């Protein structure tokens, strides 16, 4: 049987992506965004955290293409980047529940 070995760069990027999921606050933000787009203030209020700390976490999530944003006036709304993020969250939850 032929084994597929990932290129060193792929291994690095995949490990880096999984590190992002290692932070409980980022997981909470992603699960909030499963319901739809939210602004920083709404996320901060829901999690009982400062807007500054939420913005910091959203920056990391944006850098890893897990969330996207759109601007409406002065307000920025965040949402999950695509269906892959939903799949990762759902599969992770399914894995720990079985």
């Amino acid at each position: 049987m032929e084994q597929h070995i990932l290129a060193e760069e792929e291994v690095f990027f995949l490990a880096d992506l999984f590190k992002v999921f290692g932070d409980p606050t980022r997981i909470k933000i992603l699960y909030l965004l499963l319901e739809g787009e939210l602004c920083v203030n709404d996320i901060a209020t829901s999690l009982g955290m400062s807007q500054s700390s939420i913005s910091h976490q959203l920056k990391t999530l944006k850098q890893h293409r897990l969330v996207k944003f759109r601007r409406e006036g002065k307000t920025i709304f965040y949402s999950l980047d695509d269906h892959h993020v939903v799949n990762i969250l759902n599969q992770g939850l399914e894995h720990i529940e079985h």
Side-chain angles (χ1 to χ4, degrees):
M1 185 168 90
E2 184 179 326
Q3 291 184 336
H4 176 72
I5 298 176
L6 294 175
E8 198 63 31
E9 186 176 87
E10 289 176 309
V11 171
F12 173 79
F13 287 128
L14 189 56
D16 199 43
L17 174 66
F18 282 121
K19 285 180 194 174
V20 175
F21 289 97
D23 183 274
T25 299
R26 290 193 286 260
I27 295 294
K28 289 176 186 178
I29 291 169
L30 292 171
Y31 270 94
L32 282 175
L33 294 176
L34 276 172
E35 302 298 318
E37 67 178 16
L38 294 168
C39 66
V40 174
N41 186 52
D42 291 340
I43 296 169
T45 300
S46 293
L47 298 181
M49 298 177 69
S50 71
Q51 289 185 26
S52 172
S53 61
I54 295 302
S55 291
H56 174 74
Q57 298 298 344
L58 285 166
K59 180 181 177 185
T60 299
L61 293 169
K62 280 191 303 185
Q63 288 173 334
H64 288 85
R65 298 184 354 235
L66 296 172
V67 298
K68 60 185 176 184
F69 67 94
R70 70 174 181 85
R71 185 179 298 273
E72 193 172 293
K74 291 185 177 184
T75 306
I76 298 175
F77 291 92
Y78 292 88
S79 59
L80 297 179
D81 189 78
D82 61 24
H83 71 279
H84 295 113
V85 181
V86 175
N87 291 343
I88 292 167
L89 293 171
N90 287 338
Q91 289 182 351
L93 191 58
E94 184 180 321
H95 179 75
I96 64 169
E97 289 177 343
H98 288 101

